[in-house]
Amino acid sequence: MKRSIPEAFHGSISEGENAKEFIDEIEQYFAKIEKAEMSNLLAKLISMKYKGKSNIREYIMEMSNLASKLKALKLELGEDLLMHLVLISLPAHFGQFKVSYNTQKDKWSLNELMSHYVQEEERLQRDRSESVHLSSTSQNKKRKKTKGVAEGSS
């Protein structure tokens, strides 16, 4: 039974070559592909920035997933490094939280970090909605005062 040769290697083995040399060529080919994939994944992980479009849990899970893919390619990032990459990638409004984490003696696991960030994100959203509510209430009071003054002066 004759085996078919993958398209990328078609014609790459001659009658004089042995199977060992052919296998070495295949290994080199796939090693190049793995290096390129590793570089792409690492570049993506390092350049990620949280923009608030998805929730923070999904964002951290995406970063963790990229780290897992790198681990499968035999480039393992420690959890500490991954946590610092997460911290670095977050926007300025998480600054107070970053300082709080960095001043603690305890180290958190990635799951703990995610849990704390979810709580922080919810707190920030509550603060924003309260701020918007106070702002709109304040503007309504100003409009009523201005309207009352204008009506009283006519």
Side-chain angles (χ1 to χ4, degrees):
M1 184 157 111
K2 189 174 182 180
R3 288 189 163 179
S4 63
I5 298 174
E7 191 70 32
F9 300 104
H10 200 326
S12 64
I13 188 168
S14 66
E15 288 182 31
E17 277 187 302
N18 66 26
K20 171 81 170 110
E21 290 170 345
F22 180 65
I23 290 173
D24 289 344
E25 284 180 32
I26 292 174
E27 285 177 356
Q28 288 175 3
Y29 174 78
F30 284 107
K32 288 177 188 176
I33 290 174
E34 282 184 359
K35 285 180 184 178
E37 186 178 359
M38 193 182 303
S39 293
N40 289 337
L41 290 171
L42 192 55
K44 184 175 181 180
L45 181 64
I46 290 171
S47 65
M48 284 181 73
K49 297 289 179 205
Y50 180 66
K51 295 177 177 70
K53 293 180 182 172
S54 62
N55 71 40
I56 193 87
R57 182 184 311 272
E58 289 173 7
Y59 173 76
I60 294 172
M61 290 302 296
E62 184 181 351
M63 290 187 84
S64 180
N65 185 33
L66 287 172
S68 294
K69 288 179 180 179
L70 285 165
K71 184 178 181 179
L73 294 170
K74 296 179 179 63
L75 178 63
E76 188 168 353
L77 306 176
E79 191 171 48
D80 286 348
L81 178 59
L82 182 58
M83 289 190 42
H84 284 283
L85 287 172
V86 169
L87 290 167
I88 290 167
S89 71
L90 295 172
H93 64 269
F94 283 101
Q96 182 179 354
F97 185 80
K98 291 179 193 181
V99 169
S100 173
Y101 172 75
N102 287 328
T103 58
Q104 291 186 24
K105 287 183 181 179
D106 296 338
K107 287 186 177 183
W108 294 338
S109 70
L110 196 59
N111 285 334
E112 289 172 318
L113 179 75
M114 203 177 331
S115 174
H116 290 294
Y117 265 122
V118 167
Q119 291 174 2
E120 179 68 3
E121 186 177 50
E122 289 170 356
R123 185 192 66 78
L124 289 170
Q125 287 173 347
R126 274 194 314 273
D127 289 353
R128 270 187 242 132
S129 65
E130 287 174 11
S131 175
V132 167
H133 176 71
L134 288 174
S135 175
S136 65
T137 305
S138 169
Q139 287 176 354
N140 286 340
K141 285 181 182 178
K142 285 181 186 176
R143 284 188 200 134
K144 285 179 183 177
K145 275 187 178 178
T146 326
K147 187 177 179 184
V149 170
E151 286 173 356
S153 62
S154 21

